[in-house]
Amino acid sequence: MEGLKRVAVICILRNQTNFLLLKRFNEPLKGLYVPVGGKVDPYENPYETALREVKEEAGLVLEKMRFCGTLVETSPIKYNWMSFVYEAEVDYFEPPICNEGILEWHDFQNIDTFPTPKTDFFIYQYVLNKQPFALNAVYNEKVELISMIEEIENLKVI
């Protein structure tokens, strides 16, 4: 049913301040750099999804990931998501070939030099500071971010 939230995970693989990001081949977010992740499958919980997606997209078998927070995205069109955000500190490795896009390491200091969703900049900051978050992002019909609130502290971010 249109407008219902799709449940997904965002998996941040981090080596100090470097993030493994995927330049997406497909919509949504085609051409943008995002963490690995994906939709929660039937009968799967978000944590299991995170471990599965990291293995499928980055070739890593992780024993654990840290839950960081949530991102709820709402728009008047089909772009409506509820994402659980996880992260893992990993050793540097050469990114494998991925059928979802091109995997590359990027330093947080350079995050504004390549295309990435506006929400992700804030997510990375919260993750680096090990601060829990519950972000609520609202988009217009062109999927342009018009507001975002961090609900734990009731703080307007955008």
Side-chain angles (χ1 to χ4, degrees):
M1 192 185 268
E2 194 166 324
L4 290 181
K5 298 284 187 267
R6 298 181 80 179
V7 181
V9 296
I10 296 171
C11 307
I12 297 172
L13 300 176
R14 187 170 62 78
N15 180 268
Q16 298 177 23
T17 61
N18 295 303
F19 294 93
L20 184 66
L21 300 177
L22 178 76
K23 184 177 182 183
R24 288 188 53 83
F25 288 152
N26 304 311
E27 294 295 347
L29 307 176
K30 181 179 180 178
L32 298 183
Y33 286 86
V34 299
V36 298
K39 293 183 271 314
V40 175
D41 285 345
Y43 309 107
E44 188 176 55
N45 68 49
Y47 186 76
E48 292 167 335
T49 303
L51 295 175
R52 176 181 56 78
E53 288 288 347
V54 167
K55 182 178 179 186
E56 288 176 2
E57 294 183 10
L60 286 182
V61 176
L62 297 178
E63 293 188 21
K64 63 180 180 176
M65 295 190 78
R66 181 177 73 88
F67 175 72
C68 300
T70 59
L71 171 64
V72 175
E73 296 175 289
T74 304
S75 82
I77 58 169
K78 290 184 181 181
Y79 192 80
N80 286 275
W81 295 90
M82 169 63 198
S83 297
F84 294 82
V85 181
Y86 295 90
E87 70 100 15
E89 174 78 23
V90 299
D91 292 330
Y92 175 85
F93 63 96
E94 195 62 40
I97 293 173
C98 176
N99 61 356
E100 299 285 330
I102 299 168
L103 288 167
E104 301 173 352
W105 287 100
H106 288 279
D107 191 306
F108 179 71
Q109 301 300 321
N110 301 325
I111 200 98
D112 59 351
T113 64
F114 54 90
T116 186
K118 286 184 182 180
T119 54
D120 291 12
F121 172 79
F122 297 98
I123 289 172
Y124 301 147
Q125 285 185 311
Y126 283 108
V127 168
L128 287 171
N129 293 328
K130 295 198 180 316
Q131 183 179 357
F133 58 89
L135 295 171
N136 186 345
V138 178
Y139 298 84
N140 64 18
E141 61 282 342
K142 296 178 184 174
V143 194
E144 297 166 334
L145 186 61
I146 56 175
S147 71
M148 187 164 66
I149 295 173
E150 195 292 307
E151 294 182 330
I152 294 173
E153 295 187 14
N154 195 28
L155 176 69
K156 184 173 176 144
V157 179
I158 294 177

